[in-house]
Amino acid sequence: MAMNKDKIVGLLKKWYSFSGRATRKDFWLTALFQSLTAVGLIAILLLFFALSDVIGFILCLPFGLILISLIVAVIANLFRRLHDLGLSGFWTCYLSPLGLPSMYGAYVLDADQSAKEGIERIKNVGSPWLSWILAIIFWPTASSFCLLLILLSPGQKQDNAYGANPYAAE
């Protein structure tokens, strides 16, 4: 039981850390806990609104700030999972429904090598206009599906640019 307690404490210590790596198990356990926390906070806030609108409005600001901090923790967890796969945290932005403009911005600013590779792939697919039109039309749906597939993929079993192998400790 001490092993599980140490594991949970270790995950909570990395709650807001954007560096390092998160195994698939660590990511999904943390995501589950974060989801349950968000649902619980929203349920409590709705309960207060049902009791009294005044109390509900008073508690909106603190609960809203807590939910915003929870969103930051979710993004940090996603960064660590992508790092385990050997991908830059920028992929969090790229695989969002509005990811194509952010990828193109990173390409123009030369901020990320993976954005450069992604834009070059889009450019090299048949007609340049057709590839861009198809990318714009299908990006929102395809990016969400790709993000899910990436998060379900096994991580790299060796050290990478983002940290030491977390699987060696298991």
Side-chain angles (χ1 to χ4, degrees), residues 42-62:
I42 292 170
I44 291 170
L45 186 59
L46 290 175
L47 177 69
F48 280 120
F49 263 113
L51 295 174
S52 168
D53 286 344
V54 175
I55 295 173
F57 281 116
I58 291 171
L59 292 176
C60 270
L61 181 64

Side-chain angles (χ1 to χ4, degrees), residues 150-166:
I150 287 171
L151 294 177
L152 292 173
S153 299
Q156 294 180 342
K157 301 287 187 196
Q158 68 274 8
D159 295 350
N160 66 17
Y162 302 104
N165 179 9

Side-chain angles (χ1 to χ4, degrees), residues 90 93-94 99-116 119:
F90 277 109
C93 300
Y94 304 157
L100 192 59
S102 63
M103 181 183 277
Y104 191 72
Y107 170 74
V108 169
L109 297 173
D110 200 25
D112 186 32
Q113 182 62 31
S114 55
K116 194 174 194 174
I119 294 294

